[in-house]
Amino acid sequence: MIERPEGPLRTEVLTWTDVDRLIDILVPQIRAAGSFTAMVLITRGGVIPGGMLAEALQIEHMLIAAVDFPSTQAGLMVWPSFLQFPDAALIEGRRTLIVDDVWGSGRTSISVRERVEVAGGESFTCVLHFNPYRSLFKKEKPDFYAATTDAFIIYPCEIDRGLRRMGLMSPEPESN
């Protein structure tokens, strides 16, 4: 657990087997909703689960969205900046699965969903973990999610970075 002024933050460190299980939970949900002709992977968290889902669902039209929420005094109310987003012609008329690892505040998934819809795509959001306790959008949730959590999740691909960010590992030594 991480100590914070408002109390300890529960953490979960996942293995690749855990991620495989989460994907196995998502695939039948997504298949039951029909086929998708495009997938938008939200960087960085959505790249690995998106690739795994694309393989399982045989989705070949994969696109990338990179979203940044600048730190300002406006805090959580700041508008996103899209560092990278597919051209509208690549999304228009497509049933599009938007993939990220976690729905925390919900800002990233909803921003990408809205942009896909403006481009003329039919959007569906998908995450491995949904945290309804942190979501800023109380009437919204992902269309597909494998688990609900209140924990800070560390995925196997970010184990060093995640633990270091939490202060549980010392930083890499500098090399000359």
Side-chain angles (χ1 to χ4, degrees), residues 69-130:
F69 286 92
S71 296
T72 69
Q73 288 186 342
L76 294 174
M77 303 311 291
V78 68
W79 288 99
S81 173
F82 285 89
L83 307 175
Q84 182 177 358
F85 199 84
D87 186 85
L90 298 172
I91 297 171
E92 186 177 8
R94 292 181 176 270
R95 278 179 50 97
T96 304
L97 188 63
I98 300 163
V99 181
D100 205 355
D101 54 357
V102 175
W103 176 303
S105 69
R107 297 184 310 159
T108 303
S109 290
I110 287 177
S111 296
V112 173
R113 179 188 74 191
E114 297 303 314
R115 184 106 181 238
V116 165
E117 290 177 1
V118 165
E122 183 182 1
S123 64
F124 296 82
T125 55
C126 175
V127 294
L128 297 177
H129 288 93
F130 171 45

Side-chain angles (χ1 to χ4, degrees), residues 123-142:
S123 64
F124 296 82
T125 55
C126 175
V127 294
L128 297 177
H129 288 93
F130 171 45
N131 187 334
Y133 314 102
R134 283 194 53 224
S135 184
L136 298 174
F137 305 90
K138 297 304 177 191
K139 294 183 181 181
E140 298 271 358
K141 65 181 183 178

